[in-house]
Amino acid sequence: MATSESQKPDNTESTGFVPGEDAGTRWRNWFAILTGKMNEKGLQQYVEARDVRNEEADCKRCEKQRDYLLQFSPIVRFMRDNINQLGGDIHSGNVRCRRCTTRQSGGFDPNYGIQICANQLRNRGHLEDTMAHEMVHAYDHLRFKVDWENNLRHAACTEIRASSLSGECRFMREFITRGQWKFTQQHQECVRRRATLSILNRPGCKDDVHAARIVNEVWESCFADTRPFDEIYR
């Protein structure tokens, strides 16, 4: 039997998100967020729709900032030179700006290169930290022959080094963007937290306890290893 219009389930009311690209619909969604009428699923739908809508602009901005950093950023140029010395080559062709569906700012694949999640970037400084982080992974892959798929200790070590050396755990970044207010051991706690979360998302990791144990096992040697820098850069 046909269902009347009034009897049809309203998915919009269940999540608070209304599909559509016109100004009225976008304002309705924004108002639902402001008033708390959009639930977590609706907010996820809103973010996904926004990222699709802004994909071209986000990627163009990312590519422009990427090219600037490859030419003028001290840490990016330093890492690029050291990767080149190991036989690698980082350039605009293998640092790709894409729209990502996961909440991460970038990733490294030895066969693909570096992927930057253009829709997750706050500003050029965030992109600089992300590029430096992924370039540490590229350096480690060439210098230490990391077993990315089968060795969680290898993965934990390079995550510790990347978070420590890239600048993403410096005090002001933690203080302003992540609301971390601690003054003592702030850098170490940030590095440990980010490395543990990264390991937790890998297929071979059982749970958060397992991830923390793997990070602890390699912590001292990997945190102390600042190559190719003489010390933690920033």
Side-chain angles (χ1 to χ4, degrees):
M1 184 175 66
T3 304
S4 68
E5 190 67 26
S6 60
Q7 292 175 320
K8 290 181 180 179
D10 189 345
N11 293 328
T12 295
E13 294 301 326
S14 64
T15 68
F17 172 73
V18 183
E21 296 300 324
D22 61 281
T25 301
R26 288 162 67 178
W27 167 247
R28 183 178 173 184
N29 283 323
W30 182 239
F31 186 75
I33 294 173
L34 291 176
T35 56
K37 294 181 179 179
M38 187 179 294
N39 63 23
E40 287 296 323
K41 183 178 180 180
L43 184 58
Q44 182 180 0
Q45 293 171 328
Y46 171 82
V47 170
E48 289 174 355
R50 180 202 62 191
D51 289 347
V52 170
R53 181 175 66 247
N54 297 335
E55 180 174 3
E56 183 177 358
D58 286 343
C59 288
K60 284 184 178 179
R61 180 175 62 252
C62 173
E63 289 165 357
K64 182 179 180 180
Q65 293 177 346
R66 171 204 63 195
D67 294 344
Y68 175 91
L69 293 171
L70 285 170
Q71 186 174 0
F72 296 111
S73 166
I75 189 171
V76 170
R77 292 181 61 182
F78 177 79
M79 287 304 306
R80 185 181 186 181
D81 289 344
N82 278 272
I83 289 170
N84 288 346
Q85 291 174 22
L86 295 174
D89 185 18
I90 296 293
H91 51 80
S92 59
N94 57 19
V95 181
R96 300 173 174 89
C97 295
R98 298 288 187 269
R99 176 176 62 87
C100 299
T101 57
T102 55
R103 297 192 63 182
Q104 62 186 73
S105 54
F108 169 75
D109 184 282
N111 299 314
Y112 178 84
I114 293 172
Q115 176 166 302
I116 304 297
C117 295
N119 55 313
Q120 299 293 339
L121 298 176
R122 294 184 298 272
N123 48 46
R124 193 171 70 192
H126 187 194
L127 175 57
E128 185 177 36
D129 289 348
T130 301
M131 287 178 63
H133 180 111
E134 304 306 336
M135 291 173 88
V136 171
H137 288 328
Y139 175 90
D140 286 356
H141 176 72
L142 294 169
R143 179 68 177 80
F144 304 115
K145 311 303 180 186
V146 178
D147 183 353
W148 298 96
E149 295 184 3
N150 303 308
N151 195 316
L152 287 177
R153 290 166 61 90
H154 283 192
C157 189
T158 189
E159 289 296 345
I160 290 169
R161 283 173 34 76
S163 290
S164 180
L165 300 174
S166 64
E168 65 188 19
C169 278
R170 61 187 180 277
F171 176 77
M172 290 308 296
R173 179 70 70 194
E174 281 280 273
F175 181 79
I176 294 173
T177 65
R178 304 185 188 115
Q180 300 293 326
W181 298 75
K182 299 186 69 173
F183 289 92
T184 59
Q185 298 293 310
Q186 171 272 328
H187 179 81
Q188 291 90 330
E189 289 190 12
C190 171
V191 172
R192 189 184 294 275
R193 181 183 72 250
R194 293 176 70 83
T196 301
L197 286 173
S198 180
I199 297 304
L200 182 60
N201 290 324
R202 291 184 174 272
C205 183
K206 300 175 183 177
D207 50 34
D208 56 345
V209 175
H210 185 205
R213 178 171 60 81
I214 294 296
V215 170
N216 287 336
E217 286 176 358
V218 300
W219 174 261
E220 289 192 16
S221 60
C222 297
F223 184 76
D225 186 353
T226 62
R227 288 175 288 181
F229 301 94
D230 292 331
E231 57 185 3
I232 295 174
Y233 176 69
R234 55 181 183 171

